[in-house]
Amino acid sequence: MAEDICPCRVMTKDTRAYTACCQPHILDHKSAPTAEALMRSRYSAFTVGDIDHLYQTLAPEARHDFDRKAITHWAKQSQWLGLEIIETEQGQVGDQIGYVDFIAHFINDGQRMAHRERSLFRFDDVEKCWFFVEEANRKTAPVVKGPQPGRNDPCSCGSGKKYKKCCGAAA
């Protein structure tokens, strides 16, 4: 991927290279400075198939049902098109929590899909890093999503849970 545009930046006019954007967080395990930076690195991890990064940046209390095999399969079978950050709330240096509202665009089984989510992140003072906690409640009405993964597919939010036990549970 050398000097290619970072996967998290493809849909924007930001031409930051992968090596200067998400790669240091994914490959070098450098802590993301903000909740948004962690969200971007998690999206990029899906695109490059780095499932370890998804696990390591998942809050420890949420790791109990992380399904590595299913997530790996889902990440590899999807064609990742880009990430849109809609809004961030808190999640800056010095904050304890942060929210990132995003849309991840991808093609799965030949169908173009868009997964919109408002994610909750928390900063761990001991580890000195941000963790993805869970999908957070939306302040506004839910956005109509494209076709969703099957009941037993890993949830596209990256929680590591099956769709039926995560985002699909409310459907």
Side-chain angles (χ1 to χ4, degrees):
M1 207 171 242
E3 290 299 313
D4 292 339
I5 295 173
C6 189
C8 80
R9 306 285 176 168
V10 169
M11 298 188 80
T12 70
K13 292 181 180 180
D14 186 344
T15 59
R16 199 171 320 170
Y18 176 64
T19 55
C21 190
C22 290
Q23 181 180 344
H25 307 301
I26 296 171
L27 295 181
D28 302 334
H29 308 290
K30 180 180 176 191
S31 294
T34 65
E36 181 180 327
L38 180 59
M39 177 62 242
R40 288 181 176 283
S41 74
R42 287 178 59 82
Y43 172 82
S44 291
F46 272 106
T47 71
V48 299
D50 194 316
I51 308 309
D52 287 341
H53 182 70
L54 296 171
Y55 180 80
Q56 292 161 352
T57 58
L58 183 61
E61 65 273 15
R63 293 178 182 168
H64 63 280
D65 59 356
F66 185 84
D67 187 342
R68 182 177 302 275
K69 184 177 178 182
I71 291 171
T72 300
H73 175 73
W74 184 70
K76 286 182 179 180
Q77 78 177 8
S78 298
Q79 178 186 354
W80 301 96
L81 304 175
L83 176 69
E84 287 181 73
I85 301 295
I86 305 301
E87 176 185 34
T88 59
E89 181 182 336
Q90 299 176 301
Q92 301 301 312
V93 174
D95 289 335
Q96 294 300 302
I97 62 167
Y99 298 90
V100 180
D101 192 350
F102 69 92
I103 303 173
H105 297 271
F106 59 100
I107 296 173
N108 190 300
D109 290 331
Q111 293 185 322
R112 188 179 180 107
M113 299 181 172
H115 173 79
R116 183 167 183 178
E117 178 179 311
R118 182 170 188 253
S119 294
L120 170 63
F121 295 84
R122 73 169 169 77
F123 187 79
D124 187 293
D125 288 321
V126 175
E127 298 286 331
K128 302 289 185 217
C129 64
W130 285 96
F131 285 108
F132 166 71
V133 179
E134 63 187 1
E135 181 175 3
N137 292 329
R138 229 177 250 300
K139 294 182 195 175
T140 58
V143 172
V144 176
K145 300 177 183 180
Q148 295 295 299
R151 318 177 357 95
N152 291 316
D153 289 338
C155 192
S156 58
C157 73
S159 67
K161 298 178 183 178
K162 288 185 178 181
Y163 176 73
K164 67 182 177 186
K165 294 193 179 223
C166 191
C167 297

